[in-house]
Amino acid sequence: MTHTSEQSNFDLQPEDFGEDFVWGVSTAAYQIEGAHEAHGKGISIWDEFVTKKGTIFENQHGQITCDFYNKYKEDILLMKSMNIDHFRFSLSWSRILPDGTGKVNPQGIAFYNDVINFCLECGVTPWVTLYHWDLPQTLEDLGGWTNRKVLEWFEAYVKICSKHFGDRVKHWMVLNEPMVFTGAGYFLGVHAPGKKGLRNFIPAIHHAVLCQALGGRLLRKMVPGAIIGTTFSCSQITPRSNSKKDLKAADKADTLLNRLFIEPSLGLGYPDESIPVLRKIKKYEKPEDAQNSIFDFDFIGVQNYTREVVRHSYTVPYLRAKIVKASDRNVQTTLMDWEVYPPSIYEMLKKFNAYEGVKKILITENGAAFEDSLKDGKVNDLERTSYIQNYLKQVHKASSEGVKVSGYFVWTFTDNFEWAEGYYPRFGLVHINFKTLKRTIKASGKWYRDFLRKKEQKEVFKTKKTDVPIG
Ligand code: BGC
């Protein structure tokens, strides 16, 4: 059930978050680009997965999606017109290396050069994610993330990206949400490549942890002045009751969903005291791995949408924990059946900030899908505006309590292909008519534009002031 949320009183200004706070939007290659086989692009696991009947809502796919591949100029100009100065997007590995490794596709390099150059021309800073879930299919045929060889493949890919784009791109993220692509893709089988079970999940976890740090080290070596991060999905976990069993279940869910990927990167190892089955990772470990899992990221990307309520369950092997669906809890929800729960972002900021070794945090994704409708050329998505405002209030609260949070990226710029859910959950600040590909700024997008305008105006004023010749 989706409830209409109340309009919030929002009186914060961008500068209340700090002078250098970064405001942007986030996207991902497979979700927006389309052009799935244009100009030498190879097939990715998502190109393949969507062709299997029944995997995606109404058998939809991302073959065209927003056609960002051809419309990137229009989109970046639109972004600029909305005062958005920071654009997070990902590179499609198989557009750059059609076979995953080996021969580089010059047309893939040219496309990303065009996007990067156009961003810079427009005064938009590119923030690049190296891997947002679209592994080349040829590598998946060799086992994908379950094969330790992925370290070599990833190394070659990162080197190529650093070499070609590192002169202009200074803001990098290594992986997008490793918990989601290993969990949904290699344990539950609901995302590409559709593999299931512990025998896939366990090695995939370990190799993702190693690549996360490896990518960081390579970028640091190859891109002078790079600001390097990686991103984590996270949700506040609330036990359904205070019973011992529910508390234990909540602790396990918290470990799996919030701690598993960051802790090895900070030198804390795998949190297997709470989930003993994670000890199976040892089978895949080499003596140097614990050290090689560590990297001192310049920032951590926190991605938060909701919280989870968790209860004990005998039927779930290893975890003995189950999520109580939001729709069964009579709470305000989004179209993803995610509870709208702004304090979760505050709790997650506090949690990640408490780790010694986390230098800086950016919210690299936050947003919501609601039932949008385009009427008379307008989308009056008040629920999305108040969702963003209420989450921002919590970000501000954390910041005023000393949490080192220095950026916020809305997920997402335009409506796009929402993985297994296809096109029905629209997360964009900008509506897309997927038949005509027409873009229409929603009310939430106009609100974000006007909110950011205050910052733009201030900056123009600042520059003017300093431009005045002294004397
Ligand atoms: C992912 C996005 C996704 C969004 C909304 C995040 O898990 O990084 O790709 O579209 O959440 O589900």
Side-chain angles (χ1 to χ4, degrees), residues 28 31 132-133 176-177 180 303 305 336 338 365 411 418-419 427:
Q31 294 180 275
H132 200 128
W133 308 354
N176 182 71
E177 300 187 348
V180 179
Q303 314 202 148
Y305 291 86
M336 302 290 283
W338 293 345
E365 283 184 25
W411 183 271
E418 177 51 35
W419 309 114
F427 276 85

Side-chain angles (χ1 to χ4, degrees), residues 23-27 32 66 75 78-88 305 364-370 372-374 377-389 392 408-418 425-434 438-452:
W23 297 94
V25 284
S26 270
T27 64
I32 62 167
C66 315
D75 282 351
L78 190 60
M79 216 174 275
K80 193 60 199 170
S81 80
M82 291 165 69
N83 305 318
I84 298 165
D85 289 341
H86 297 270
F87 176 30
R88 173 177 175 233
Y305 291 86
T364 40
E365 283 184 25
N366 172 244
F370 292 110
D372 296 335
S373 62
L374 181 68
K378 289 193 175 131
V379 181
N380 202 17
D381 58 336
L382 299 178
E383 286 180 306
R384 182 170 294 100
T385 309
S386 79
Y387 176 101
I388 296 175
Q389 292 176 344
L392 277 178
Y408 177 88
F409 289 70
V410 177
W411 183 271
T412 178
F413 184 53
T414 57
D415 295 335
N416 61 38
F417 177 74
E418 177 51 35
R426 293 173 175 270
F427 276 85
L429 294 175
V430 174
H431 176 275
I432 291 206
N433 173 330
F434 286 103
K438 185 174 164 24
R439 275 84 168 137
T440 306
I441 306 178
K442 300 179 192 175
S444 59
K446 291 181 184 165
W447 171 79
Y448 199 49
R449 175 192 69 193
D450 295 345
F451 171 70
L452 297 181

Side-chain angles (χ1 to χ4, degrees), residues 129-165:
T129 312
L130 285 165
Y131 185 75
H132 200 128
W133 308 354
D134 46 355
L135 190 77
Q137 181 60 38
T138 41
L139 302 183
E140 183 53 42
D141 295 340
L142 301 169
W145 285 96
T146 70
N147 185 341
R148 193 175 171 103
K149 276 221 156 68
V150 71
L151 271 75
E152 288 165 36
W153 304 328
F154 193 64
E155 175 165 354
Y157 168 60
V158 178
K159 282 183 173 163
I160 287 161
C161 298
S162 310
K163 180 176 138 205
H164 287 280
F165 312 125

Side-chain angles (χ1 to χ4, degrees), residues 84-145:
I84 298 165
D85 289 341
H86 297 270
F87 176 30
R88 173 177 175 233
F89 57 92
S90 75
L91 306 175
S92 153
W93 186 338
S94 66
R95 202 180 283 293
I96 292 172
L97 286 158
D99 296 321
T101 185
K103 220 168 149 251
V104 176
N105 174 23
Q107 297 179 95
I109 301 288
F111 168 64
Y112 290 117
N113 272 333
D114 289 347
V115 172
I116 292 163
N117 292 341
F118 196 67
C119 280
L120 296 173
E121 232 172 83
C122 295
V124 171
T125 305
W127 291 66
V128 169
T129 312
L130 285 165
Y131 185 75
H132 200 128
W133 308 354
D134 46 355
L135 190 77
Q137 181 60 38
T138 41
L139 302 183
E140 183 53 42
D141 295 340
L142 301 169
W145 285 96

